[in-house]
Amino acid sequence: MLPFRFSDFAAASVHVFTALGAVCGLMAALAAFDGAWERMFIWLGVALVIDAIDGTFARLFQVEQRLPRFSGERLDLVVDYVTYVFVPVLALLQAKYLTGTGGLIIGALILLSSLYHFSDLASKGDDYSFVGFPAIWNVVAFYVFTLSPPGWVTYTALLLCVALTFVPIHWVHPVRVKRWRMLTLAVTAAWSIAAVAIIATGFPPPAWAAIVLSASAVYFVWLTIDLSFRPDVQHSA
């Protein structure tokens, strides 16, 4: 009988913790079918938190060394595809932000382009940036629900993000970015506060929260352009 080692149990528990993101995805999908959009984004938010901190636990408990047969990275990608891509597309369709044949085509393009991104071995740079649009469709969907733009604006924005998946510009990681780090962390914190306020009060959101989200989007796009095209910045992917 193999000896019980707490370290192995702890390592396996990290994989279980990561896999709970899929359960969050299921709960979010059920909320989408009910039209309970705030509840859906709560579950997607929980999945986002799990995704943000499971890597820290994996390094702390040396999961890769203790359980080499099981790939935490592969598990993470499967869960992320459910919560970052599939459920947000489902929500956009259920909420009628995507309608008819055109809406189904755009939804299919999102699913397919995201599969390309998730399978791209060069999708991350050495500076922790994402190469090509990072398939954060949960965030994109949150913006659509928050701002409720005209249909043509929504369709154009979604198609632009799909196209940018294949353009090798470097999108900043909101926590790991080095350039303008303190300002970026402050903007990320402000975005998080506004997002929580929107979910707490429901859609349509308070005006100040929508303004914070809009300003944050402008800042991150600017930072991505600055990171990608500054001549003194070298990237490796």
Side-chain angles (χ1 to χ4, degrees):
M1 186 175 184
L2 294 176
F4 172 81
R5 292 188 297 184
F6 175 79
S7 57
D8 291 343
F9 174 79
S13 297
V14 174
H15 282 325
V16 173
F17 179 68
T18 299
L20 286 176
V23 179
C24 292
L26 172 62
M27 301 304 294
L30 292 174
F33 284 123
D34 291 339
W37 308 120
E38 293 81 8
R39 174 156 53 92
M40 180 195 74
F41 281 113
I42 288 174
W43 283 111
L44 292 181
V46 173
L48 185 64
V49 171
I50 291 174
D51 184 47
I53 64 177
D54 62 352
T56 300
F57 291 143
R59 290 185 290 272
L60 178 65
F61 294 107
Q62 300 178 318
V63 174
E64 188 174 353
Q65 291 76 26
R66 298 190 181 282
L67 298 175
R69 178 178 172 180
F70 300 96
S71 171
E73 182 178 6
R74 186 177 298 180
L75 173 62
D76 190 64
L77 288 175
V78 172
V79 174
D80 285 354
Y81 190 79
V82 172
T83 58
Y84 280 63
V85 183
F86 186 83
V87 173
V89 171
L90 173 66
L92 291 171
L93 290 166
Q94 283 291 110
K96 306 302 181 184
Y97 286 111
L98 293 176
T99 59
T101 302
L104 287 174
I105 291 174
I106 292 179
L109 290 174
I110 292 172
L111 296 178
L112 294 173
S113 63
S114 298
L115 284 172
Y116 165 83
H117 175 79
F118 275 58
S119 61
D120 182 7
L121 298 180
S123 64
K124 291 184 180 179
D126 291 341
D127 55 359
Y128 301 111
S129 62
F130 301 97
V131 183
F133 179 71
I136 48 172
W137 294 103
N138 50 350
V139 176
V140 173
F142 188 61
Y143 270 90
V144 173
F145 275 80
T146 297
L147 302 178
S148 293
W152 69 269
V153 174
T154 299
Y155 279 48
T156 301
L158 296 178
L159 286 173
L160 178 61
C161 289
V162 167
L164 288 174
T165 302
F166 305 95
V167 179
I169 59 176
H170 287 246
W171 296 74
V172 297
H173 192 293
V175 176
R176 289 183 159 183
V177 63
K178 294 180 180 179
R179 180 171 172 78
W180 303 104
R181 178 173 177 78
M182 296 309 297
L183 178 58
T184 302
L185 290 176
V187 172
T188 301
W191 187 97
S192 301
I193 292 170
V196 170
I198 290 170
I199 293 174
T201 58
F203 301 105
W208 70 266
I211 291 173
V212 169
L213 257 65
S214 300
S216 299
V218 172
Y219 172 78
F220 279 109
V221 169
W222 168 79
L223 195 59
T224 292
I225 294 173
D226 182 67
L227 178 68
S228 298
F229 298 105
R230 280 179 60 88
D232 59 330
V233 176
Q234 299 294 321
H235 296 293
S236 176

